[in-house]
Amino acid sequence: MKRAATLRLLSDLSNFSGAARLREFLAADPAVRVRCSPDGRHLLLLRPPGAPAPQLLVAVRGPGEELERAWPAGHSSPLDAFFLPWPVRPALVLVWESGLAEVWGSGMGPGWRLLQSTELCPDGGSRVVAVAAPRGRLVWCEERQVDAEGRLRPPSAAFSHCVCVRTLEPSGEAGTNLGRTHILLHHCPAFRLLASRKDLFLVPTTTTLPGVDHILLIWSPGKGKMMVAAPSLHLSHSKSLNPGRGDSWDFRTLLRGLPGLLCPRQPLTVHTWAPTPQGLLLLDFRGTVSLVQSHGGTRAVGTLQEAPLGLAGSAALGTFHGTLACVLGSTLELLDMSSGQLLERKVLSTDRVHLLEPLAPGTKDKEEMETRGGLRLLSALGLFQVGWEVPQSLELPSAEDLVFEEACEYYQRRSLRGAQLTPEELRHNNIFRAPQALASILQGHVSPSTLLTTLRAELRDYRSLEQLKAQLVAGDDEETGWTELAEQEVTRLLRTELMGDQLAQLNTIFQALPTAAWGAILRALQLQPDGNGRLRSQAPPDVWKKVLGGTAVGKEPPNGVLPPFELLCQCLCQLEPRWLPPFVELAQQQGGPGWGAGGPGLPLYRRALAILGKEGTRPEALELELLLGSGRPKAVLQAVEQLVQKEQWERALEAGLALGPSSPLLRSEIFKMLLAEFARHRGLDAHLPLLCRLCPPDLAPAELLLLLQTHLPDDSEPLTPFPEAGVKPPLTVGLLRVLLEQTGAQGRPSGPVLSLYEDMLWDQGTPPPTPPRGSVTALQASDHPGPGAWAPSGQGLCVTDTS
């Protein structure tokens, strides 16, 4: 059923105090700044500087007095004004460019009165350029004309601003408590400040220095973090920033530590900024609306039918229940925030329309109850609400209806007849007694406590699931609701036979909400990292059997529908690619081959590789990890060949050494592959110890020499003692000796010598003692070492003739 947007009149402004002045403000000046109090009873209107008096108006709905303030010529009007979220009484703060801040309150007596006045810049020589009032705080950006050494800065100094914060809380019956000033950012450019319920956005202005005008900051006081984001680069970085702990940052130092954010980029050409509970909306001059979220991520929401007409054109943005509302001139466009689809377009009777902030949560007010689920629009014609019309026929199904509907789907899957089963047929047919018995229990006719206790949890899940669906259909499609729905649906589908409609529905959930769906899979499989880069699971085999099940022959799923295992691999590739190889390795340990496929089927690593794409287009790192972790000899050899081609020798050797004693043939093949490379060039010389460890223990020296001889390069030129310049050195005896020693046994073999040179390898024992080197007086004939013997040192050369 297609929803219809409604524009309903809430008030013609006659129930506001000073209604005539209020209409005059709204009709006269399109640049008037409009703010609404958290409870929705007060409207604040502030005219820009130079406008005719009065410049400030606060109107009250119902009993109460309005507040009008006017400043004569020569006296500046406030830079901005905000309502404070004080539950006891309404209050507002006015801030001037000079740094003067005034807090006004109402409720303690007739009318409004000044509660406190303070100077935000007591040192002088500074001016406030922007201000915001997030919850319980006052944040402003000030330009300091004097540096830390007391020298006067030029007016056009690039980083002459700073961002400061003070806490602002009610105190007693009629007082306020202002905390001390804390500087969040030093030496920064001029920022515009925009506050949502939880975050403060610091966005660049037209005067921001080129080179940093594509960067914006997001401060989350509740988390104590500052996010530096570059939407055009799709990059962000988080830093700790908690004033309670004394955190403060120098903007220049902050950016120097993030060089990736300083790539030359075009400045952010934004026509309108709008803070919302979901993040910061921005509308550019092409009519494209984007959303910057609190974690720094940016996504496109949609494109308007019309683009803004320069800076002079007025525009306002707002959201309600998954819908983007944009007022551009006298046109109201409603877009789906999930798909960007244009839902409805309305032409208004005026082009001076203001979107009001949503009311504070928990406000117990008649108007709040009426406007829940919509967005309020204010103009001189009145206060309106835009929202979606809720279908009157939307009713929650009873527990009895749920029983017959679920039973109908279950029996239809098991039935061989072509006729379609209906819930009414199950009600009046006595063939299937289980749903009738359960319906009788729910109606109160039969009350066996054991059966009811067994079914209570499942029925509660079904009931809450249907309630959540009905709530979302009615328009209450908050992000948490969608997440909860996805988790419940995935959990329910894992309890069914994942075939046909159930498998297609699981695919749809993973495509729409992959993060929530993967969270449900994590809980179902009880996946946990073990600290060594691997995963472990405590899920029962039945769950793994459903997840790893393939498709039987002749029952291939429709186009685009993936089996559960392939679906999980695809989701991991999108969310956390580094966990795909550990997940596939864990899955290979869980069950037999071809679970659910009715036959041997493909190995799991090949099913995962198919998700990565065709050969040659896959990410090389993921493909290598999947091949090495497969445990299949052909796959491991293929991975080692790729590593050899890339000359990643150490990783290739480690892949062979990682194989246990149960794979001697595979280790031997890897050794022979690397030995051939060792014979051809000297790239493996630095990794010779690892190559020796990989050497098979039963390999004889003669076999090693034959293998080396097979792969040695053919040299047509005669060998020289030293290679010429630029020529790679050949294999040397020194390197070969280490390998030959590795192939031998601990002692000399007792059998016959297999090689002419094998005796060189064995230890000859203790060498003969060295003859004495004393003085020689006479040489006996038997002691003659032979002609040409050397005399001891200092005796000269002595030759004896024995003839």
Side-chain angles (χ1 to χ4, degrees), residues 540-739:
D542 290 343
V543 179
W544 275 104
K545 188 173 183 179
K546 288 184 180 180
V547 170
L548 302 182
T551 55
V553 178
K555 295 185 178 180
E556 287 80 9
N559 241 349
V561 177
L562 297 175
F565 177 73
E566 281 79 355
L567 192 60
L568 298 186
C569 291
Q570 186 184 69
C571 183
L572 267 179
C573 286
Q574 296 173 358
L575 300 178
E576 288 289 342
R578 65 188 181 93
W579 285 110
L580 178 61
F583 174 73
V584 176
E585 190 173 348
L586 174 66
Q588 292 172 157
Q589 303 168 4
Q590 297 305 314
W595 257 2
L602 286 175
L604 293 180
Y605 83 93
R606 291 186 61 183
R607 292 169 62 180
L609 285 174
I611 293 298
L612 295 179
K614 296 182 180 179
E615 190 171 355
T617 62
R618 303 165 184 161
E620 295 181 358
L622 282 180
E623 183 179 6
L624 275 174
E625 292 293 340
L626 288 172
L627 291 173
L628 291 174
S630 65
R632 303 293 182 106
K634 289 185 178 179
V636 175
L637 279 177
Q638 181 183 347
V640 174
E641 287 176 359
Q642 294 182 16
L643 292 173
V644 168
Q645 292 173 2
K646 299 177 182 178
E647 298 185 359
Q648 297 183 13
W649 311 117
E650 185 173 359
R651 194 172 178 193
L653 288 163
E654 290 175 351
L657 293 172
L659 298 171
S662 60
S663 306
L665 294 178
L666 182 56
R667 286 181 58 128
S668 178
E669 288 297 324
I670 295 176
F671 173 76
K672 292 176 181 179
M673 184 189 306
L674 294 173
L675 186 66
E677 299 296 325
F678 177 71
R680 295 189 188 105
H681 52 77
R682 306 277 51 83
L684 273 164
D685 290 358
H687 309 284
L688 187 57
L690 293 178
L691 186 63
C692 292
R693 287 175 53 192
L694 188 61
C695 179
D698 56 348
L699 185 66
E703 297 175 2
L704 178 67
L705 292 173
L706 288 175
L707 289 173
L708 284 170
Q709 185 179 2
T710 306
H711 300 289
L712 283 173
D714 296 331
D715 292 329
S716 57
E717 299 180 1
L719 296 177
T720 57
F722 301 100
E724 298 179 1
V727 179
K728 295 182 180 179
L731 178 64
T732 61
V733 177
L735 293 171
L736 184 59
R737 182 183 180 89
V738 179
L739 268 176

Side-chain angles (χ1 to χ4, degrees), residues 763-776:
D763 188 5
Q764 301 292 338
T766 305
T770 305
R773 294 183 178 271
S775 57
V776 179

Side-chain angles (χ1 to χ4, degrees), residues 64-103:
E65 296 185 14
E66 72 274 12
L67 171 65
E68 284 190 17
R69 291 289 308 276
W71 290 269
H75 294 75
S76 61
S77 57
L79 178 69
D80 212 335
F82 305 91
F83 282 107
L84 300 177
W86 291 357
V88 179
R89 62 181 182 275
L92 60 93
V93 58
L94 308 178
V95 180
W96 276 260
E97 187 180 281
S98 62
L100 174 65
E102 293 182 353
V103 181

